[in-house]
Amino acid sequence: RREQGRELVYSTRRTGPRWRRSVYEHSGQEDIEACCETLCERLAAIDEAKPLSVLPIYSRLPADLQAKIFEPAPTRKVVVATNIAETSLTVDGAKYVVDCGYYKLKLCSNGCRDSWCARHFVHSKSMRKARKVRDQLVDISKGSLELELKKAGANWDAIRQCICFVYFHQAARVKSLGEYNDLRTGMPCHLHPTSALYGMGYTPDYIVYHELVFTSKEYMQCVTAVDPKWLAEMGPMLFSLREAGASRKRHADLHQAKMESEFRLAQEEEAARAAAECLRAQSRSASRSQIVTPGSANSTPRFKTPRRRTNL
């Protein structure tokens, strides 16, 4: 039926009377953008086609682009809009309205999403806000930045690192259950009891947050647990790592063991030198004792001449 609607626009464009505006209703942003592209491609394929302005209109379209449908144009104009335009917009000078015949059951869709959020203890309003933020990031990435989009899958650390990269200047360290101190100002700040991090069963050591809201206490909103190494990497002008607790003790133990090993080695080398010196001294003493001095007790003994026998 969408294709039939587009064909009706083409036929009206070729054979209908000279009209200034036409409205073609669709059910959503993606459908509208696809329809506009298809209309432009089909009109480009028509020989000697007269100029035609194809303009989309939907809720997330910037205001300056939305205003173009109301501005006078030197050429003929077709406005591709959602079906809500039938009740909320009045386009002066429209000669034809083409309805694709489709509509979205938003109540059912929202009901399903709300049920999913309730089962997983997630605020549906926050999820809708997150969806809008994601759509904006996708538009910026594909448009002005021309980046290739990749899915993170189950790699949540990649997402948390991206958040840390933006909010590293609003980081806090745990003080007690649900209570933190801002790393830059030292100001106490708290996790709200409704926060998902508050009911995890343990409190993350380091977090980043979007903003502080003061009621009975300073409560942090949009809180994400982060690794302190990320803070040092992404905000070296504010943070640096230092060894603490068990790490310092382990380092001290290793240093002490190294010193003791070097001391034992030095003692062994000193003992070996002393033993070698003793051996050399004994060797010199033995050499001196082997020298014979004439007349001394240690000289070679004299042999007596045997007495001659006298015959009687």
Side-chain angles (χ1 to χ4, degrees), residues 6-188:
R6 285 191 287 265
E7 291 295 339
L8 181 57
V9 172
Y10 305 145
S11 62
T12 306
R13 171 71 181 85
R14 292 192 300 266
T15 61
R18 293 186 59 83
W19 41 267
R20 302 299 293 178
R21 290 186 178 95
S22 175
V23 177
Y24 179 30
E25 294 183 358
H26 252 294
S27 58
Q29 175 182 344
E30 295 180 358
D31 293 334
I32 290 173
E33 293 176 346
C35 180
C36 290
E37 292 179 2
T38 305
L39 284 172
C40 293
E41 292 174 357
R42 294 289 185 88
L43 291 172
I46 299 176
D47 296 333
E48 299 181 357
K50 295 181 179 180
L52 176 67
S53 296
V54 180
L55 302 176
I57 177 68
Y58 47 85
S59 60
R60 284 201 292 267
L61 192 69
D64 56 334
L65 298 181
Q66 292 186 21
K68 287 186 176 182
I69 68 171
F70 303 105
E71 297 174 355
T75 62
R76 294 181 176 182
K77 182 188 300 184
V78 59
V79 178
V80 184
T82 57
N83 51 8
I84 197 173
E86 183 178 358
T87 58
S88 61
L89 291 178
T90 300
V91 182
D92 295 333
K95 298 297 183 181
Y96 298 93
V97 176
V98 180
D99 193 340
C100 68
Y102 287 91
Y103 65 95
K104 289 186 175 180
L105 297 175
K106 292 186 177 181
L107 180 60
C108 178
S109 178
N110 287 336
C112 295
R113 284 196 289 265
D114 291 344
S115 299
W116 184 91
C117 291
R119 288 197 304 271
H120 293 82
F121 306 99
V122 178
H123 293 290
S124 58
K125 183 178 179 180
S126 299
M127 293 300 294
R128 287 192 291 270
K129 183 178 180 181
R131 181 67 184 184
K132 291 181 179 179
V133 172
R134 182 189 182 278
D135 292 341
Q136 292 175 3
L137 291 175
V138 169
D139 292 340
I140 294 173
S141 300
K142 288 184 175 180
S144 59
L145 300 180
E146 297 182 354
L147 297 177
E148 180 183 359
L149 299 182
K150 295 182 180 180
K151 292 184 178 181
N155 184 15
W156 296 108
D157 283 352
I159 299 174
R160 293 195 296 131
Q161 284 177 327
C162 292
I163 297 174
C164 183
F165 182 79
V166 178
Y167 292 105
F168 66 85
H169 59 284
Q170 295 180 180
R173 180 171 53 193
V174 67
K175 180 180 179 182
S176 61
L177 181 62
E179 183 177 358
Y180 286 79
N181 285 336
D182 189 281
L183 286 176
R184 292 195 302 126
T185 64
M187 181 179 63

